[in-house]
Amino acid sequence: MELNPERTAVIAVHCQGDIVSGDGAFAPFFHDQVVSRNVISKIGNLLDSARESGMTVIYTRVAFKPDFSDLNANSPLLKVVEQAGCLKEGTGLAEIVPELAPGGEDVVITHQRVGGFVLELTAILEGRGIDTVVFAGVATNASVESSARVATDAGYRVIIAEDACSAATPEAHKASIESLGLLAEISTTAEIVGASAPQTV
């Protein structure tokens, strides 16, 4: 694998307390696999490597107004948000988890849909001349896959850090990765870190 740091962004998808933490609203769905796959640590290593190599680090987070006036619950996943009263802007569990706290040069995109490949994100990528995006996060078969599909259709080279993603079950994760294999490069954090490390002469 070859990566040009100046033209690559690593995108951490929905690494928020309500989604990945044990006390989050979505813990019954996702926390077991987040822990068993050691996803948070792997994402952290990936982001640290990206920063060191000069890649752009971007976080997508989903959050809504406290009164949910900007929530269009048109899918079962978003209906859970409404029913649980979670992912409210200004609450601690709507923020990126402390272990993966954004750095000063990182970009945080807040949106209100399942997928995070929104116009604000596209504008940042275009403005920085980025043509390659690496996705990691939760859940593989929802927000990660949705974002990756839009990115592929928009013409970007898309890479999935497979071991830095998880879903509600191993089976759901595996099925999503198999589907994404037709659209994106399926890789590991070790391979991506290796490709982004400074080359010695």
Side-chain angles (χ1 to χ4, degrees):
M1 174 181 289
E2 293 185 3
L3 294 172
N4 180 343
E6 293 182 355
R7 301 180 68 84
T8 303
V10 176
I11 302 176
V13 177
H14 296 177
C15 299
Q16 301 162 253
D18 264 327
I19 296 173
V20 301
S21 295
D23 57 350
F26 281 88
F29 297 94
F30 301 134
H31 188 62
D32 177 69
Q33 285 298 299
V34 168
V35 172
S36 65
R37 290 178 58 80
N38 197 23
V39 165
I40 300 302
S41 177
K42 290 175 181 175
I43 293 174
N45 291 339
L46 184 62
L47 297 181
D48 287 343
S49 174
R51 294 182 188 105
E52 290 171 7
S53 69
M55 292 180 182
T56 295
V57 170
I58 299 174
Y59 296 77
T60 61
R61 60 183 290 269
V62 57
F64 304 93
K65 294 178 180 178
D67 63 357
F68 287 140
S69 59
D70 55 350
L71 169 60
N72 175 17
N74 67 325
S75 68
L77 204 53
L78 292 176
K79 282 183 171 61
V80 172
V81 172
E82 187 174 47
Q83 293 163 359
C86 63
L87 292 170
K88 290 184 178 182
E89 195 66 82
T91 62
L93 287 171
E95 299 303 324
I96 307 299
V97 293
E99 305 97 306
L100 300 176
E105 300 299 317
D106 299 342
V107 178
V108 179
I109 303 290
T110 300
H111 60 93
Q112 287 75 43
R113 306 307 310 159
V114 173
F117 210 83
V118 293
L119 290 176
E120 183 183 354
L121 175 55
T122 302
I124 289 168
L125 298 177
E126 291 178 353
R128 299 189 182 198
I130 291 168
D131 58 18
T132 300
V133 289
V134 178
F135 286 103
V138 180
T140 318
N141 62 330
S143 303
V144 173
E145 182 170 339
S146 176
S147 300
R149 286 180 177 276
V150 176
T152 296
D153 284 344
Y156 290 88
R157 176 191 178 192
V158 176
I159 301 169
I160 307 295
E162 184 274 335
D163 59 336
C165 300
S166 64
T169 65
E171 294 78 13
H173 170 79
K174 182 175 183 290
S176 180
I177 291 298
E178 288 178 351
S179 179
L180 283 169
L182 300 173
L183 306 171
E185 299 170 47
I186 308 303
S187 189
T188 66
T189 52
E191 290 169 342
I192 296 164
V193 167
S196 62
Q199 300 298 311
T200 56
V201 179

